Amino acid sequence: MSSTFENIPLSRRTFLGAGIAALAMPAIIGRASVASAETSFAGEELIVMSWSGNYETVFKETVIDPFNTQYATVVESVGGWDQMVPQIVAAPADTPPFDITVGEEYVSLQGIAQGLFLKNDAAALPNLDAVYPYFDETRPGAEGYGVPFAIGTCMLLVRQSLGIAPDSWNLLWDERLAGKVTLDGSSWHWPLSLTALTKGASHKIDEMYSLTGAEPLFAELDTLHPARWYMTGAEQAAVLNQGEADAAQTYSSDAFGFLQDSPDEYVAAVPKEGTSGWTDRFFKVRGTRHNDLANLFSNYLLEKETQDRFLAKSMVFMSRKDVAVPEHWKDYPRSNEEVHSRFQLISMNGWEKITADYTSFDSRMKLAISRSASR
């Protein structure tokens, strides 16, 4: 199964994401009881791989630093986008490059298939009881692997002065925004997934899992008239802030940055059709020499206080059911049913199908970009 994933050129935007989750301390955490947990790990090191960029900045501030303060540990975060699995494979099995890694559905599929992630120790993770069922219901075949922290999503961003609400993905094709939209061109799957939600026959992401089913969706992308297809988050910001575009297909981490830096300039939302996204899970890596501390940290990710801190500085959807929703996150889902109706994942099963013909998909996306850019 692992050979399916060799030499697939996924970009950093494949993994753009944001989010985290958490709950209460277990009665027994590996070697440490509740009474002694805050001292028994003093001075112990742990390396955690998170998504890079703004996500890592917020993760360090709201998750890593408070954990070290509480337990006197030396937990360090490193950022990345698409190299966690190759880095684990390249390292000795008993000396992994990091002890815990983030992963969405594609990374989950790779890591589980190749035996790189350890199953959860359920007894050490009582806070899993506070997590929305959605996170297991959407990942058949991955039960027991990784703690679910959050959902990162695609979002629609519009310049506020236009007076156009970001309430439908159809705005990407709207004549009022012709030549004034920027979309992610570094990977085909996110723009295509939004096209499936908006223009597809069933309005389900499943339509994009075969090249035959995806062709009508690519044809819709051919008709776009964007200002530019951006290739990095920095380029997206430049296109918008310099006025080349007035709207963007963006991501939850990026959207919060725009709203925070220019609160009166942009408005962002999940449109009425819902949106596509990914789940952030944190996995223990095989060969870690800090299993008990990794369990403690994993459960800490699911504590309410941890998730509240992270959510206050992001626009991800947290895995806990009882988080404090900040004012900037309008229409935050409040039930498991609403989560299902608002967010569609490119599933692990979908990724398995996509990767079987990834080169063809990538070539077709490049054609769509060239056709729309020449309109």
Side-chain angles (χ1 to χ4, degrees), residues 52-89:
S52 194
N54 183 63
Y55 187 103
E56 186 188 4
T57 299
V58 175
F59 190 75
K60 184 179 187 303
E61 178 183 345
T62 64
V63 181
I64 298 291
D65 290 348
F67 184 86
N68 283 332
T69 297
Q70 181 174 352
Y71 294 104
T73 48
V74 189
V75 178
E76 175 187 356
S77 65
V78 293
W81 290 113
D82 57 0
Q83 292 301 309
M84 45 279 287
V85 167
Q87 286 176 4
I88 297 169
V89 171

PDB file of all heavy atoms in Angstrom, residues 52-89:
ATOM      1  N   SER A  52       3.302  24.463   9.619  1.00  0.00           N
ATOM      2  CA  SER A  52       4.200  25.601   9.658  1.00  0.00           C
ATOM      3  C   SER A  52       3.440  26.920   9.530  1.00  0.00           C
ATOM      4  O   SER A  52       2.217  26.951   9.457  1.00  0.00           O
ATOM      5  CB  SER A  52       5.233  25.472   8.533  1.00  0.00           C
ATOM      6  OG  SER A  52       6.293  26.366   8.711  1.00  0.00           O
ATOM      7  N   GLY A  53       4.172  28.019   9.531  1.00  0.00           N
ATOM      8  CA  GLY A  53       3.582  29.326   9.320  1.00  0.00           C
ATOM      9  C   GLY A  53       2.808  29.832  10.519  1.00  0.00           C
ATOM     10  O   GLY A  53       3.197  29.622  11.675  1.00  0.00           O
ATOM     11  N   ASN A  54       1.689  30.510  10.258  1.00  0.00           N
ATOM     12  CA  ASN A  54       0.883  31.097  11.323  1.00  0.00           C
ATOM     13  C   ASN A  54       0.398  30.037  12.311  1.00  0.00           C
ATOM     14  O   ASN A  54       0.305  30.280  13.519  1.00  0.00           O
ATOM     15  CB  ASN A  54      -0.314  31.840  10.727  1.00  0.00           C
ATOM     16  CG  ASN A  54      -1.150  32.527  11.798  1.00  0.00           C
ATOM     17  OD1 ASN A  54      -0.675  33.408  12.490  1.00  0.00           O
ATOM     18  ND2 ASN A  54      -2.396  32.103  11.942  1.00  0.00           N
ATOM     19  N   TYR A  55       0.104  28.839  11.803  1.00  0.00           N
ATOM     20  CA  TYR A  55      -0.363  27.753  12.672  1.00  0.00           C
ATOM     21  C   TYR A  55       0.673  27.450  13.754  1.00  0.00           C
ATOM     22  O   TYR A  55       0.334  27.355  14.940  1.00  0.00           O
ATOM     23  CB  TYR A  55      -0.626  26.509  11.825  1.00  0.00           C
ATOM     24  CG  TYR A  55      -1.269  25.365  12.565  1.00  0.00           C
ATOM     25  CD1 TYR A  55      -2.625  25.090  12.414  1.00  0.00           C
ATOM     26  CD2 TYR A  55      -0.538  24.530  13.409  1.00  0.00           C
ATOM     27  CE1 TYR A  55      -3.231  24.036  13.076  1.00  0.00           C
ATOM     28  CE2 TYR A  55      -1.131  23.481  14.080  1.00  0.00           C
ATOM     29  CZ  TYR A  55      -2.479  23.228  13.903  1.00  0.00           C
ATOM     30  OH  TYR A  55      -3.075  22.179  14.580  1.00  0.00           O
ATOM     31  N   GLU A  56       1.933  27.315  13.356  1.00  0.00           N
ATOM     32  CA  GLU A  56       2.964  26.993  14.337  1.00  0.00           C
ATOM     33  C   GLU A  56       3.140  28.112  15.351  1.00  0.00           C
ATOM     34  O   GLU A  56       3.363  27.857  16.548  1.00  0.00           O
ATOM     35  CB  GLU A  56       4.299  26.708  13.649  1.00  0.00           C
ATOM     36  CG  GLU A  56       5.370  26.234  14.625  1.00  0.00           C
ATOM     37  CD  GLU A  56       6.749  26.132  14.004  1.00  0.00           C
ATOM     38  OE1 GLU A  56       6.922  26.498  12.830  1.00  0.00           O
ATOM     39  OE2 GLU A  56       7.664  25.697  14.724  1.00  0.00           O
ATOM     40  N   THR A  57       3.036  29.361  14.894  1.00  0.00           N
ATOM     41  CA  THR A  57       3.167  30.495  15.804  1.00  0.00           C
ATOM     42  C   THR A  57       2.105  30.444  16.896  1.00  0.00           C
ATOM     43  O   THR A  57       2.403  30.591  18.092  1.00  0.00           O
ATOM     44  CB  THR A  57       3.046  31.815  15.025  1.00  0.00           C
ATOM     45  OG1 THR A  57       4.090  31.889  14.050  1.00  0.00           O
ATOM     46  CG2 THR A  57       3.149  33.004  15.960  1.00  0.00           C
ATOM     47  N   VAL A  58       0.853  30.228  16.490  1.00  0.00           N
ATOM     48  CA  VAL A  58      -0.247  30.161  17.451  1.00  0.00           C
ATOM     49  C   VAL A  58      -0.132  28.903  18.304  1.00  0.00           C
ATOM     50  O   VAL A  58      -0.402  28.924  19.519  1.00  0.00           O
ATOM     51  CB  VAL A  58      -1.604  30.204  16.718  1.00  0.00           C
ATOM     52  CG1 VAL A  58      -2.757  30.021  17.697  1.00  0.00           C
ATOM     53  CG2 VAL A  58      -1.751  31.524  15.971  1.00  0.00           C
ATOM     54  N   PHE A  59       0.273  27.799  17.703  1.00  0.00           N
ATOM     55  CA  PHE A  59       0.414  26.535  18.426  1.00  0.00           C
ATOM     56  C   PHE A  59       1.453  26.657  19.537  1.00  0.00           C
ATOM     57  O   PHE A  59       1.243  26.203  20.663  1.00  0.00           O
ATOM     58  CB  PHE A  59       0.805  25.432  17.438  1.00  0.00           C
ATOM     59  CG  PHE A  59       0.749  24.036  17.997  1.00  0.00           C
ATOM     60  CD1 PHE A  59      -0.465  23.403  18.199  1.00  0.00           C
ATOM     61  CD2 PHE A  59       1.914  23.354  18.311  1.00  0.00           C
ATOM     62  CE1 PHE A  59      -0.514  22.106  18.716  1.00  0.00           C
ATOM     63  CE2 PHE A  59       1.877  22.070  18.822  1.00  0.00           C
ATOM     64  CZ  PHE A  59       0.643  21.441  19.022  1.00  0.00           C
ATOM     65  N   LYS A  60       2.569  27.284  19.225  1.00  0.00           N
ATOM     66  CA  LYS A  60       3.615  27.460  20.236  1.00  0.00           C
ATOM     67  C   LYS A  60       3.111  28.337  21.380  1.00  0.00           C
ATOM     68  O   LYS A  60       3.306  28.015  22.561  1.00  0.00           O
ATOM     69  CB  LYS A  60       4.872  28.070  19.611  1.00  0.00           C
ATOM     70  CG  LYS A  60       6.039  28.201  20.590  1.00  0.00           C
ATOM     71  CD  LYS A  60       7.268  28.798  19.912  1.00  0.00           C
ATOM     72  CE  LYS A  60       8.469  28.771  20.852  1.00  0.00           C
ATOM     73  NZ  LYS A  60       8.206  29.490  22.122  1.00  0.00           N
ATOM     74  N   GLU A  61       2.455  29.421  21.040  1.00  0.00           N
ATOM     75  CA  GLU A  61       2.007  30.376  22.051  1.00  0.00           C
ATOM     76  C   GLU A  61       0.898  29.823  22.936  1.00  0.00           C
ATOM     77  O   GLU A  61       0.900  30.046  24.157  1.00  0.00           O
ATOM     78  CB  GLU A  61       1.526  31.655  21.364  1.00  0.00           C
ATOM     79  CG  GLU A  61       0.985  32.699  22.328  1.00  0.00           C
ATOM     80  CD  GLU A  61       0.443  33.916  21.613  1.00  0.00           C
ATOM     81  OE1 GLU A  61       0.733  34.092  20.405  1.00  0.00           O
ATOM     82  OE2 GLU A  61      -0.287  34.698  22.255  1.00  0.00           O
ATOM     83  N   THR A  62      -0.062  29.115  22.341  1.00  0.00           N
ATOM     84  CA  THR A  62      -1.257  28.709  23.088  1.00  0.00           C
ATOM     85  C   THR A  62      -1.223  27.265  23.579  1.00  0.00           C
ATOM     86  O   THR A  62      -2.027  26.890  24.430  1.00  0.00           O
ATOM     87  CB  THR A  62      -2.522  28.901  22.233  1.00  0.00           C
ATOM     88  OG1 THR A  62      -2.465  28.021  21.088  1.00  0.00           O
ATOM     89  CG2 THR A  62      -2.651  30.337  21.753  1.00  0.00           C
ATOM     90  N   VAL A  63      -0.302  26.456  23.054  1.00  0.00           N
ATOM     91  CA  VAL A  63      -0.248  25.039  23.425  1.00  0.00           C
ATOM     92  C   VAL A  63       1.102  24.678  24.057  1.00  0.00           C
ATOM     93  O   VAL A  63       1.168  24.220  25.203  1.00  0.00           O
ATOM     94  CB  VAL A  63      -0.520  24.129  22.212  1.00  0.00           C
ATOM     95  CG1 VAL A  63      -0.475  22.661  22.631  1.00  0.00           C
ATOM     96  CG2 VAL A  63      -1.878  24.456  21.591  1.00  0.00           C
ATOM     97  N   ILE A  64       2.177  24.870  23.313  1.00  0.00           N
ATOM     98  CA  ILE A  64       3.498  24.435  23.761  1.00  0.00           C
ATOM     99  C   ILE A  64       3.959  25.188  25.012  1.00  0.00           C
ATOM    100  O   ILE A  64       4.335  24.572  26.027  1.00  0.00           O
ATOM    101  CB  ILE A  64       4.540  24.605  22.639  1.00  0.00           C
ATOM    102  CG1 ILE A  64       4.187  23.741  21.417  1.00  0.00           C
ATOM    103  CG2 ILE A  64       5.941  24.256  23.159  1.00  0.00           C
ATOM    104  CD1 ILE A  64       4.328  22.265  21.626  1.00  0.00           C
ATOM    105  N   ASP A  65       3.952  26.499  24.947  1.00  0.00           N
ATOM    106  CA  ASP A  65       4.478  27.288  26.071  1.00  0.00           C
ATOM    107  C   ASP A  65       3.700  27.052  27.370  1.00  0.00           C
ATOM    108  O   ASP A  65       4.324  26.854  28.430  1.00  0.00           O
ATOM    109  CB  ASP A  65       4.505  28.772  25.704  1.00  0.00           C
ATOM    110  CG  ASP A  65       5.557  29.098  24.654  1.00  0.00           C
ATOM    111  OD1 ASP A  65       6.411  28.225  24.376  1.00  0.00           O
ATOM    112  OD2 ASP A  65       5.535  30.215  24.111  1.00  0.00           O
ATOM    113  N   PRO A  66       2.359  27.055  27.343  1.00  0.00           N
ATOM    114  CA  PRO A  66       1.637  26.781  28.599  1.00  0.00           C
ATOM    115  C   PRO A  66       1.895  25.377  29.146  1.00  0.00           C
ATOM    116  O   PRO A  66       1.931  25.178  30.364  1.00  0.00           O
ATOM    117  CB  PRO A  66       0.163  26.956  28.194  1.00  0.00           C
ATOM    118  CG  PRO A  66       0.196  27.866  27.022  1.00  0.00           C
ATOM    119  CD  PRO A  66       1.443  27.501  26.276  1.00  0.00           C
ATOM    120  N   PHE A  67       2.081  24.401  28.263  1.00  0.00           N
ATOM    121  CA  PHE A  67       2.375  23.041  28.710  1.00  0.00           C
ATOM    122  C   PHE A  67       3.717  23.002  29.441  1.00  0.00           C
ATOM    123  O   PHE A  67       3.836  22.419  30.529  1.00  0.00           O
ATOM    124  CB  PHE A  67       2.389  22.089  27.516  1.00  0.00           C
ATOM    125  CG  PHE A  67       2.581  20.639  27.895  1.00  0.00           C
ATOM    126  CD1 PHE A  67       1.500  19.847  28.250  1.00  0.00           C
ATOM    127  CD2 PHE A  67       3.847  20.067  27.898  1.00  0.00           C
ATOM    128  CE1 PHE A  67       1.669  18.506  28.604  1.00  0.00           C
ATOM    129  CE2 PHE A  67       4.036  18.734  28.251  1.00  0.00           C
ATOM    130  CZ  PHE A  67       2.931  17.949  28.600  1.00  0.00           C
ATOM    131  N   ASN A  68       4.726  23.628  28.854  1.00  0.00           N
ATOM    132  CA  ASN A  68       6.040  23.655  29.495  1.00  0.00           C
ATOM    133  C   ASN A  68       5.993  24.383  30.836  1.00  0.00           C
ATOM    134  O   ASN A  68       6.662  23.982  31.798  1.00  0.00           O
ATOM    135  CB  ASN A  68       7.065  24.320  28.577  1.00  0.00           C
ATOM    136  CG  ASN A  68       7.519  23.409  27.455  1.00  0.00           C
ATOM    137  OD1 ASN A  68       7.523  22.184  27.591  1.00  0.00           O
ATOM    138  ND2 ASN A  68       7.908  23.998  26.331  1.00  0.00           N
ATOM    139  N   THR A  69       5.213  25.432  30.904  1.00  0.00           N
ATOM    140  CA  THR A  69       5.078  26.165  32.161  1.00  0.00           C
ATOM    141  C   THR A  69       4.437  25.286  33.230  1.00  0.00           C
ATOM    142  O   THR A  69       4.871  25.271  34.394  1.00  0.00           O
ATOM    143  CB  THR A  69       4.230  27.431  31.952  1.00  0.00           C
ATOM    144  OG1 THR A  69       4.899  28.302  31.038  1.00  0.00           O
ATOM    145  CG2 THR A  69       4.002  28.151  33.268  1.00  0.00           C
ATOM    146  N   GLN A  70       3.422  24.537  32.843  1.00  0.00           N
ATOM    147  CA  GLN A  70       2.699  23.709  33.809  1.00  0.00           C
ATOM    148  C   GLN A  70       3.510  22.514  34.284  1.00  0.00           C
ATOM    149  O   GLN A  70       3.486  22.165  35.466  1.00  0.00           O
ATOM    150  CB  GLN A  70       1.375  23.235  33.207  1.00  0.00           C
ATOM    151  CG  GLN A  70       0.531  22.378  34.145  1.00  0.00           C
ATOM    152  CD  GLN A  70      -0.836  22.055  33.580  1.00  0.00           C
ATOM    153  OE1 GLN A  70      -1.240  22.587  32.549  1.00  0.00           O
ATOM    154  NE2 GLN A  70      -1.563  21.181  34.249  1.00  0.00           N
ATOM    155  N   TYR A  71       4.238  21.868  33.368  1.00  0.00           N
ATOM    156  CA  TYR A  71       4.903  20.608  33.713  1.00  0.00           C
ATOM    157  C   TYR A  71       6.426  20.704  33.788  1.00  0.00           C
ATOM    158  O   TYR A  71       7.098  19.693  34.003  1.00  0.00           O
ATOM    159  CB  TYR A  71       4.507  19.529  32.701  1.00  0.00           C
ATOM    160  CG  TYR A  71       3.046  19.182  32.773  1.00  0.00           C
ATOM    161  CD1 TYR A  71       2.153  19.652  31.806  1.00  0.00           C
ATOM    162  CD2 TYR A  71       2.544  18.401  33.811  1.00  0.00           C
ATOM    163  CE1 TYR A  71       0.793  19.345  31.873  1.00  0.00           C
ATOM    164  CE2 TYR A  71       1.194  18.095  33.890  1.00  0.00           C
ATOM    165  CZ  TYR A  71       0.327  18.572  32.913  1.00  0.00           C
ATOM    166  OH  TYR A  71      -1.016  18.273  32.991  1.00  0.00           O
ATOM    167  N   ALA A  72       6.985  21.898  33.581  1.00  0.00           N
ATOM    168  CA  ALA A  72       8.444  22.101  33.635  1.00  0.00           C
ATOM    169  C   ALA A  72       9.175  21.210  32.644  1.00  0.00           C
ATOM    170  O   ALA A  72      10.300  20.759  32.888  1.00  0.00           O
ATOM    171  CB  ALA A  72       8.967  21.867  35.054  1.00  0.00           C
ATOM    172  N   THR A  73       8.522  20.927  31.515  1.00  0.00           N
ATOM    173  CA  THR A  73       9.093  20.089  30.469  1.00  0.00           C
ATOM    174  C   THR A  73       9.841  20.938  29.450  1.00  0.00           C
ATOM    175  O   THR A  73       9.831  22.171  29.509  1.00  0.00           O
ATOM    176  CB  THR A  73       7.982  19.304  29.762  1.00  0.00           C
ATOM    177  OG1 THR A  73       6.908  20.196  29.424  1.00  0.00           O
ATOM    178  CG2 THR A  73       7.441  18.194  30.660  1.00  0.00           C
ATOM    179  N   VAL A  74      10.466  20.251  28.502  1.00  0.00           N
ATOM    180  CA  VAL A  74      11.178  20.930  27.415  1.00  0.00           C
ATOM    181  C   VAL A  74      10.571  20.448  26.102  1.00  0.00           C
ATOM    182  O   VAL A  74      11.222  19.769  25.306  1.00  0.00           O
ATOM    183  CB  VAL A  74      12.692  20.647  27.474  1.00  0.00           C
ATOM    184  CG1 VAL A  74      13.441  21.531  26.467  1.00  0.00           C
ATOM    185  CG2 VAL A  74      13.241  20.875  28.877  1.00  0.00           C
ATOM    186  N   VAL A  75       9.307  20.773  25.891  1.00  0.00           N
ATOM    187  CA  VAL A  75       8.624  20.403  24.656  1.00  0.00           C
ATOM    188  C   VAL A  75       8.926  21.460  23.606  1.00  0.00           C
ATOM    189  O   VAL A  75       8.859  22.665  23.874  1.00  0.00           O
ATOM    190  CB  VAL A  75       7.100  20.290  24.862  1.00  0.00           C
ATOM    191  CG1 VAL A  75       6.400  19.949  23.548  1.00  0.00           C
ATOM    192  CG2 VAL A  75       6.791  19.234  25.919  1.00  0.00           C
ATOM    193  N   GLU A  76       9.272  20.996  22.422  1.00  0.00           N
ATOM    194  CA  GLU A  76       9.654  21.897  21.328  1.00  0.00           C
ATOM    195  C   GLU A  76       8.766  21.601  20.128  1.00  0.00           C
ATOM    196  O   GLU A  76       8.464  20.444  19.824  1.00  0.00           O
ATOM    197  CB  GLU A  76      11.123  21.660  20.967  1.00  0.00           C
ATOM    198  CG  GLU A  76      11.611  22.440  19.761  1.00  0.00           C
ATOM    199  CD  GLU A  76      13.015  22.055  19.346  1.00  0.00           C
ATOM    200  OE1 GLU A  76      13.633  21.229  20.053  1.00  0.00           O
ATOM    201  OE2 GLU A  76      13.487  22.550  18.316  1.00  0.00           O
ATOM    202  N   SER A  77       8.337  22.646  19.420  1.00  0.00           N
ATOM    203  CA  SER A  77       7.575  22.451  18.190  1.00  0.00           C
ATOM    204  C   SER A  77       8.443  22.748  16.981  1.00  0.00           C
ATOM    205  O   SER A  77       9.300  23.641  17.018  1.00  0.00           O
ATOM    206  CB  SER A  77       6.329  23.344  18.158  1.00  0.00           C
ATOM    207  OG  SER A  77       6.697  24.705  18.121  1.00  0.00           O
ATOM    208  N   VAL A  78       8.256  21.981  15.930  1.00  0.00           N
ATOM    209  CA  VAL A  78       8.891  22.241  14.639  1.00  0.00           C
ATOM    210  C   VAL A  78       7.776  22.283  13.608  1.00  0.00           C
ATOM    211  O   VAL A  78       6.753  21.617  13.756  1.00  0.00           O
ATOM    212  CB  VAL A  78       9.936  21.163  14.273  1.00  0.00           C
ATOM    213  CG1 VAL A  78      11.113  21.229  15.213  1.00  0.00           C
ATOM    214  CG2 VAL A  78       9.313  19.773  14.296  1.00  0.00           C
ATOM    215  N   GLY A  79       7.950  23.086  12.576  1.00  0.00           N
ATOM    216  CA  GLY A  79       6.901  23.250  11.578  1.00  0.00           C
ATOM    217  C   GLY A  79       7.222  22.560  10.273  1.00  0.00           C
ATOM    218  O   GLY A  79       8.381  22.442   9.882  1.00  0.00           O
ATOM    219  N   GLY A  80       6.200  22.106   9.596  1.00  0.00           N
ATOM    220  CA  GLY A  80       6.366  21.490   8.284  1.00  0.00           C
ATOM    221  C   GLY A  80       5.050  21.420   7.553  1.00  0.00           C
ATOM    222  O   GLY A  80       3.997  21.760   8.101  1.00  0.00           O
ATOM    223  N   TRP A  81       5.097  20.962   6.293  1.00  0.00           N
ATOM    224  CA  TRP A  81       3.870  20.868   5.502  1.00  0.00           C
ATOM    225  C   TRP A  81       3.691  19.491   4.885  1.00  0.00           C
ATOM    226  O   TRP A  81       2.595  18.955   4.900  1.00  0.00           O
ATOM    227  CB  TRP A  81       3.862  21.929   4.391  1.00  0.00           C
ATOM    228  CG  TRP A  81       3.688  23.312   4.912  1.00  0.00           C
ATOM    229  CD1 TRP A  81       4.606  24.329   4.892  1.00  0.00           C
ATOM    230  CD2 TRP A  81       2.545  23.850   5.576  1.00  0.00           C
ATOM    231  NE1 TRP A  81       4.108  25.453   5.493  1.00  0.00           N
ATOM    232  CE2 TRP A  81       2.832  25.193   5.918  1.00  0.00           C
ATOM    233  CE3 TRP A  81       1.294  23.330   5.906  1.00  0.00           C
ATOM    234  CZ2 TRP A  81       1.922  26.013   6.581  1.00  0.00           C
ATOM    235  CZ3 TRP A  81       0.391  24.156   6.564  1.00  0.00           C
ATOM    236  CH2 TRP A  81       0.704  25.471   6.892  1.00  0.00           C
ATOM    237  N   ASP A  82       4.727  18.918   4.319  1.00  0.00           N
ATOM    238  CA  ASP A  82       4.501  17.683   3.569  1.00  0.00           C
ATOM    239  C   ASP A  82       5.638  16.677   3.684  1.00  0.00           C
ATOM    240  O   ASP A  82       5.697  15.720   2.923  1.00  0.00           O
ATOM    241  CB  ASP A  82       4.269  17.997   2.087  1.00  0.00           C
ATOM    242  CG  ASP A  82       5.419  18.770   1.453  1.00  0.00           C
ATOM    243  OD1 ASP A  82       6.400  19.073   2.166  1.00  0.00           O
ATOM    244  OD2 ASP A  82       5.334  19.086   0.261  1.00  0.00           O
ATOM    245  N   GLN A  83       6.538  16.862   4.655  1.00  0.00           N
ATOM    246  CA  GLN A  83       7.706  15.987   4.723  1.00  0.00           C
ATOM    247  C   GLN A  83       7.748  15.092   5.959  1.00  0.00           C
ATOM    248  O   GLN A  83       8.736  14.390   6.183  1.00  0.00           O
ATOM    249  CB  GLN A  83       8.986  16.838   4.679  1.00  0.00           C
ATOM    250  CG  GLN A  83       9.204  17.531   3.345  1.00  0.00           C
ATOM    251  CD  GLN A  83       9.297  16.540   2.203  1.00  0.00           C
ATOM    252  OE1 GLN A  83      10.058  15.578   2.271  1.00  0.00           O
ATOM    253  NE2 GLN A  83       8.529  16.762   1.153  1.00  0.00           N
ATOM    254  N   MET A  84       6.675  15.077   6.753  1.00  0.00           N
ATOM    255  CA  MET A  84       6.738  14.304   7.995  1.00  0.00           C
ATOM    256  C   MET A  84       6.908  12.807   7.752  1.00  0.00           C
ATOM    257  O   MET A  84       7.730  12.153   8.389  1.00  0.00           O
ATOM    258  CB  MET A  84       5.511  14.570   8.886  1.00  0.00           C
ATOM    259  CG  MET A  84       4.187  14.562   8.192  1.00  0.00           C
ATOM    260  SD  MET A  84       3.822  16.115   7.342  1.00  0.00           S
ATOM    261  CE  MET A  84       3.474  17.219   8.678  1.00  0.00           C
ATOM    262  N   VAL A  85       6.166  12.246   6.816  1.00  0.00           N
ATOM    263  CA  VAL A  85       6.276  10.808   6.560  1.00  0.00           C
ATOM    264  C   VAL A  85       7.648  10.449   5.988  1.00  0.00           C
ATOM    265  O   VAL A  85       8.312   9.531   6.490  1.00  0.00           O
ATOM    266  CB  VAL A  85       5.135  10.311   5.659  1.00  0.00           C
ATOM    267  CG1 VAL A  85       5.427   8.910   5.129  1.00  0.00           C
ATOM    268  CG2 VAL A  85       3.814  10.311   6.444  1.00  0.00           C
ATOM    269  N   PRO A  86       8.144  11.138   4.947  1.00  0.00           N
ATOM    270  CA  PRO A  86       9.490  10.823   4.459  1.00  0.00           C
ATOM    271  C   PRO A  86      10.570  10.979   5.525  1.00  0.00           C
ATOM    272  O   PRO A  86      11.526  10.203   5.560  1.00  0.00           O
ATOM    273  CB  PRO A  86       9.691  11.824   3.313  1.00  0.00           C
ATOM    274  CG  PRO A  86       8.315  12.136   2.835  1.00  0.00           C
ATOM    275  CD  PRO A  86       7.468  12.112   4.061  1.00  0.00           C
ATOM    276  N   GLN A  87      10.423  11.953   6.409  1.00  0.00           N
ATOM    277  CA  GLN A  87      11.426  12.140   7.461  1.00  0.00           C
ATOM    278  C   GLN A  87      11.420  10.986   8.451  1.00  0.00           C
ATOM    279  O   GLN A  87      12.480  10.545   8.898  1.00  0.00           O
ATOM    280  CB  GLN A  87      11.160  13.467   8.188  1.00  0.00           C
ATOM    281  CG  GLN A  87      11.537  14.687   7.373  1.00  0.00           C
ATOM    282  CD  GLN A  87      11.181  15.996   8.070  1.00  0.00           C
ATOM    283  OE1 GLN A  87      10.723  15.994   9.207  1.00  0.00           O
ATOM    284  NE2 GLN A  87      11.381  17.102   7.384  1.00  0.00           N
ATOM    285  N   ILE A  88      10.233  10.492   8.787  1.00  0.00           N
ATOM    286  CA  ILE A  88      10.153   9.345   9.695  1.00  0.00           C
ATOM    287  C   ILE A  88      10.755   8.108   9.036  1.00  0.00           C
ATOM    288  O   ILE A  88      11.518   7.360   9.656  1.00  0.00           O
ATOM    289  CB  ILE A  88       8.695   9.072  10.113  1.00  0.00           C
ATOM    290  CG1 ILE A  88       8.127  10.262  10.887  1.00  0.00           C
ATOM    291  CG2 ILE A  88       8.609   7.814  10.972  1.00  0.00           C
ATOM    292  CD1 ILE A  88       6.632  10.196  11.110  1.00  0.00           C
ATOM    293  N   VAL A  89      10.425   7.886   7.770  1.00  0.00           N
ATOM    294  CA  VAL A  89      10.933   6.727   7.039  1.00  0.00           C
ATOM    295  C   VAL A  89      12.451   6.764   6.951  1.00  0.00           C
ATOM    296  O   VAL A  89      13.133   5.733   7.069  1.00  0.00           O
ATOM    297  CB  VAL A  89      10.316   6.662   5.622  1.00  0.00           C
ATOM    298  CG1 VAL A  89      11.001   5.603   4.771  1.00  0.00           C
ATOM    299  CG2 VAL A  89       8.818   6.379   5.704  1.00  0.00           C
TER     300      VAL A  89
END
